[in-house]
Structure formats: C-alpha cells, structure tokens
Amino acid sequence: MADAETLDRLYKAILDRRGADPETSYTAKLFQRGRAKIAQKLGEEAVETVIEAMAGDREKLAEESADLLYHLLVLWADAGLRPKDVYDVLAAREGTSGIAEKAQRNKVSGKKGK
Amino acid sequence: MADAETLDRLYKAILDRRGADPETSYTAKLFQRGRAKIAQKLGEEAVETVIEAMAGDREKLAEESADLLYHLLVLWADAGLRPKDVYDVLAAREGTSGIAEKAQRNKVSGKKGK
Amino acid sequence: MADAETLDRLYKAILDRRGADPETSYTAKLFQRGRAKIAQKLGEEAVETVIEAMAGDREKLAEESADLLYHLLVLWADAGLRPKDVYDVLAAREGTSGIAEKAQRNKVSGKKGK
Amino acid sequence: MADAETLDRLYKAILDRRGADPETSYTAKLFQRGRAKIAQKLGEEAVETVIEAMAGDREKLAEESADLLYHLLVLWADAGLRPKDVYDVLAAREGTSGIAEKAQRNKVSGKKGK
C-alpha cells in the first residue's frame, strides 16, 4: 500500500488542498502564506532531520523525514514543479557509477563553484 | 521511465555502492565519512534548495531538490531506514484532510513543542 | 549603549537565567529542553536569516540576526563555551589578509574536506 | 586582545576587503558571488554548528561558531547592515526577564506565526 507512489498520491492531495479553506487545511494555509514561509518550513524540517540523524533514533528520523518530504512536495507545487521533473534529474544521473559517478559529482560541484 | 520508483531504484543503487571504492564512488566515500558528514551534506543541500526556492529558478530548484533527495536516501541507508518506512509514515497521514488534517498537524507540533 | 559588549552582557544574562523558572523564562526553558532543542532552534533561526537575506528586508534581517545570535549564545552556554573562546578563534584569523587569508581558508576547508 | 570588539574589528576588515582582488581575498570573492552565495554559506555554517553541537566537541564548536559569525558579518555588510543595528535589537530586548521575557518571546513568535 505504502510504496513509491505514495509520494505521487501525496503530491496530488497537496494540489487538491490548494484551494481548500486555510482555516481547516494546514496545506492550504501554507500556500496562502507563500513561498518564503514554505521554504522556511522546509529548512526547519531539514534541521530537525539533521538533529534526529545525529541523535540516532530511527523512528523519529522516519517521522522527520516524512515532514521534510511533505514540505518539499508543497514547495514543488508552489513553484510549479512536478515530482516527475525531479525524478528525471535523478534518473539522468542514475546510470552513472564508479568513476563516472565521481566525475559527474565533480562537474555538478564545479558548476556551483563549491 | 523516470517515475516514483526512481527513488527505490536509487536507494538500491546507494546500498550497492556502499561497499564500493571510496576513491571512485562519491556514495561510498560518503558512507566512509560517516553519519555526521552525511547529515551535514543533507543540511547543506536543504539550504541550497531554500535559496533556489527564493531565487525562483525552477530548473535549479529541481537540481537542488534532486541533490537533497539523494543525500536523504544516503542518510536513510546509513541509519538502516528503508524508503518504505517513510512512505508508511506518510501513508498513515494521507487519509487526513480538512479539519482532521489540521488536528493531526497540531498534534505533531504539540508533540514537538513548537 | 548598544555596542559590541551587548553580546557579553547578553551572555551573562543567559547564564543568570539558567536557573530561573522555565515557566516564566524562555531561556531557562531552552536549557531545560536540552542540547538537541537548542541546536534545533539555532538551525531554524539560521534558516529564517537566510530567507530574510534573500527577501531583502533589512529590518527583518536585523531581527532574525538577533534571534540567531541569541540562540547561538544559549548554545555556547549549554556547551560550556564562552564568547571569548570564539573571539579568540576569530582574532587568530584576523591578522590574515590577501593571499594569506585565502591560504588560511583553504586550509580550513581542506581540514573539513569540503 | 580578543574581546567583544573583535567582531567590530572583523566587520571593518570585511568592509575593507570588499574592494580587494577576488583571486586573493576569500572575502572579496564572497561579495563578488553575491547575496545568494553568502546566504548559502551562512546556512551551511549553521548546519555545521548544529552538527558539532550534537557531536559534543567543544573546540570544533568554537571553530564552527567562528565560521558562522564571520559569514553573518559578511551577510550584514552585503545587506548594508552594521553590527550596531543588530546590537540595538538585542539591547532593546535585553532589559526583559522573567515573565516579561516570555511575553516578549511570545509576541515575536506570534508575529511570525510559528
């Protein structure tokens, strides 16, 4: 039941709630508050994920990871990005491995000047 | 080709690379450097995702989101967490909507004392 | 009145509030909740600072920066670190400039393997 | 030598390096790369500070805190914000304590709708 398509279903549910009443839907409220607030929530959930990763509680890490993914999907929806757009980026990299993988990563890093 | 199962395939590829040569595999190198380094990379990619969300470039947002997801999967692998464990958390929440959704969120927030 | 020593005075005030009633002192409550919570708040305030830096509102950036510094001082107090310990690190780097500065930074980066 | 004014001196040094050669000055290079890059570096240093706070190494926490403060000062300089502007915000809050402190914090939280 809970498989990879859970993310796609959740994304569709998020789109559906976009027009809902912000008083009763947390998702609708997020959209109403706008991009900066959604991005802030994503950042905060990432911080909590980092904390739980260091604290070492696997169950809490799963909970925070779910919060992180949910807010990432809301951010995508707000930016007009579909999950498939991101899967495409991942799939394009997926074939790489070994040295090829490393070269790919270096190219990415180089591009961003890290 | 690039669908929701892209994440599952990527997760399996990550597990496979775990034992690879850190000199040639970025993934193997991440595992070698350990939990704190993996968590740090996740946090950094989240920051970059926040930046691109605010800057408003959809293509770069997709790229950074892919980086974020990749490092999240590595973190899960390092912590012994499977994607399904997180999908389960999301699916358990998925049925909720409207007021129910809000109550659920409040409960979650309350638990964490935000 | 509000000068560099504001940070030192604030740090002392934070130490004083450590034993205060968590019901009435936000600072005492933070200490009570512990390291992970304090680190989480620091991370969250950093995210908000990043957001306001991108949004471009100088007044809000000053507000968020103040929140960030306050939580950083609480973190130091919780970890037994004095402001002077951090000023010492900064002062040791301060003389550097030009090429020396760059070499110093590279050394730091190299050490952390960024 | 290393006292609260270390931050003011560092801020002045940062302003001086603004016009330096980006090839030899890390600070000048940051300014050249612009606001998004500076904000990104601040966020990344905050993540590292969170990691070290959780890992519990006091010396590394001091190092990461120094990195965080340095990039915060660069961000202020880029945004036309002086340290004094932030000290003023902190000093205005400084008198508060006990219940007053809590009310103040709640007001701040309320404003931001956390």
Side-chain angles (χ1 to χ4, degrees):
Chain A
M1 195 86 78
D3 53 18
E5 285 170 29
T6 303
L7 289 184
D8 288 347
R9 282 197 304 272
L10 179 55
Y11 184 77
K12 282 189 193 104
I14 285 168
L15 291 181
D16 285 347
R17 286 171 200 157
R18 198 169 186 154
D21 182 357
E23 289 301 307
T24 53
S25 164
Y26 174 81
T27 305
K29 191 169 186 178
L30 271 179
F31 282 119
Q32 188 189 46
R33 300 187 73 180
R35 179 71 56 88
K37 194 65 187 181
I38 298 168
Q40 180 190 323
K41 288 299 299 178
L42 173 77
E44 291 180 0
E45 296 301 343
V47 169
E48 294 191 42
T49 302
V50 166
I51 298 273
E52 294 304 342
M54 295 299 290
D57 181 321
R58 202 158 61 182
E59 201 175 325
K60 282 187 185 169
L61 181 58
E63 290 278 343
E64 294 302 344
S65 296
D67 284 343
L68 178 60
L69 284 176
Y70 163 79
H71 286 91
L72 184 62
L73 292 178
V74 174
L75 183 66
W76 292 350
D78 191 65
L81 208 63
R82 299 161 305 168
K84 195 185 175 310
D85 298 323
V86 181
Y87 301 152
D88 282 343
V89 175
L90 287 169
R93 300 176 184 172
E94 202 179 345
T96 64
S97 69
I99 293 172
E101 179 200 3
K102 196 191 173 191
Q104 172 86 3
R105 287 278 154 192
N106 284 345
K107 214 183 68 189
V108 170
S109 295
K111 195 195 65 191
K112 294 186 295 190
K114 273 186 226 170
Chain B
M1 196 83 79
D3 53 17
E5 286 171 29
T6 302
L7 289 185
D8 288 347
R9 282 198 305 273
L10 179 55
Y11 184 78
K12 283 190 194 105
I14 285 168
L15 290 181
D16 285 347
R17 285 172 200 156
R18 199 169 186 155
D21 181 358
E23 289 300 307
T24 52
S25 164
Y26 174 82
T27 305
K29 191 170 186 178
L30 271 179
F31 283 120
Q32 188 189 44
R33 300 186 73 179
R35 180 70 56 88
K37 193 67 188 180
I38 297 167
Q40 180 189 323
K41 288 299 298 178
L42 174 77
E44 291 180 0
E45 297 300 343
V47 169
E48 295 192 40
T49 302
V50 167
I51 299 273
E52 295 303 342
M54 295 299 290
D57 181 323
R58 201 158 61 183
E59 200 175 325
K60 283 186 185 169
L61 181 58
E63 289 277 344
E64 294 303 343
S65 296
D67 284 343
L68 178 59
L69 284 176
Y70 162 80
H71 287 92
L72 184 62
L73 292 178
V74 174
L75 182 65
W76 291 350
D78 191 65
L81 208 63
R82 298 160 306 166
K84 196 186 175 311
D85 299 324
V86 181
Y87 301 151
D88 282 343
V89 175
L90 287 169
R93 299 176 184 174
E94 203 180 346
T96 65
S97 69
I99 293 172
E101 179 200 359
K102 198 190 171 192
Q104 171 88 4
R105 287 277 154 191
N106 285 345
K107 216 183 68 189
V108 170
S109 294
K111 196 195 66 193
K112 294 187 293 192
K114 274 187 225 168
Chain C
M1 197 84 79
D3 54 17
E5 284 170 29
T6 303
L7 290 185
D8 288 347
R9 283 197 303 272
L10 179 55
Y11 184 78
K12 281 188 195 107
I14 285 169
L15 290 181
D16 284 347
R17 287 172 198 155
R18 200 169 184 153
D21 181 358
E23 289 301 307
T24 53
S25 164
Y26 174 81
T27 305
K29 191 170 187 180
L30 270 179
F31 282 120
Q32 187 189 46
R33 301 187 73 180
R35 178 71 55 88
K37 194 65 186 181
I38 297 168
Q40 180 189 322
K41 289 298 299 179
L42 173 77
E44 291 180 359
E45 296 300 343
V47 169
E48 294 191 42
T49 302
V50 166
I51 300 272
E52 294 304 342
M54 295 300 289
D57 181 321
R58 204 158 58 182
E59 201 175 326
K60 283 187 184 167
L61 181 58
E63 289 278 342
E64 293 304 343
S65 295
D67 284 343
L68 178 59
L69 285 177
Y70 163 79
H71 286 92
L72 184 62
L73 292 179
V74 174
L75 184 65
W76 292 350
D78 191 65
L81 208 63
R82 299 161 303 166
K84 197 187 174 310
D85 298 324
V86 181
Y87 300 151
D88 281 344
V89 175
L90 287 170
R93 297 176 185 172
E94 201 180 347
T96 65
S97 70
I99 293 172
E101 180 200 2
K102 196 189 172 194
Q104 171 86 1
R105 286 278 153 192
N106 284 345
K107 213 184 69 187
V108 170
S109 295
K111 195 195 67 191
K112 294 187 296 192
K114 272 187 226 168
Chain D
M1 196 85 80
D3 54 18
E5 285 171 29
T6 303
L7 289 185
D8 288 347
R9 280 197 305 270
L10 180 55
Y11 184 78
K12 282 188 195 106
I14 286 169
L15 290 182
D16 284 347
R17 285 173 200 154
R18 200 169 185 154
D21 181 358
E23 289 301 306
T24 51
S25 163
Y26 175 81
T27 305
K29 190 171 186 178
L30 272 178
F31 282 120
Q32 186 189 47
R33 300 187 74 180
R35 179 71 55 88
K37 194 66 186 183
I38 297 168
Q40 180 190 321
K41 288 299 299 178
L42 173 77
E44 291 180 1
E45 297 301 343
V47 169
E48 294 191 44
T49 302
V50 166
I51 299 273
E52 295 304 342
M54 295 300 290
D57 182 323
R58 204 159 59 182
E59 200 176 327
K60 282 186 185 169
L61 180 58
E63 289 278 343
E64 294 302 343
S65 296
D67 284 343
L68 179 58
L69 285 176
Y70 163 79
H71 286 92
L72 184 61
L73 292 179
V74 174
L75 183 65
W76 291 352
D78 190 64
L81 209 62
R82 298 161 305 167
K84 194 186 176 310
D85 298 324
V86 181
Y87 300 152
D88 281 342
V89 175
L90 287 170
R93 299 176 184 172
E94 202 180 346
T96 65
S97 70
I99 293 172
E101 181 200 1
K102 197 191 174 193
Q104 170 88 3
R105 287 278 154 193
N106 284 346
K107 216 184 65 187
V108 170
S109 294
K111 196 196 63 192
K112 295 186 294 188
K114 274 186 224 167

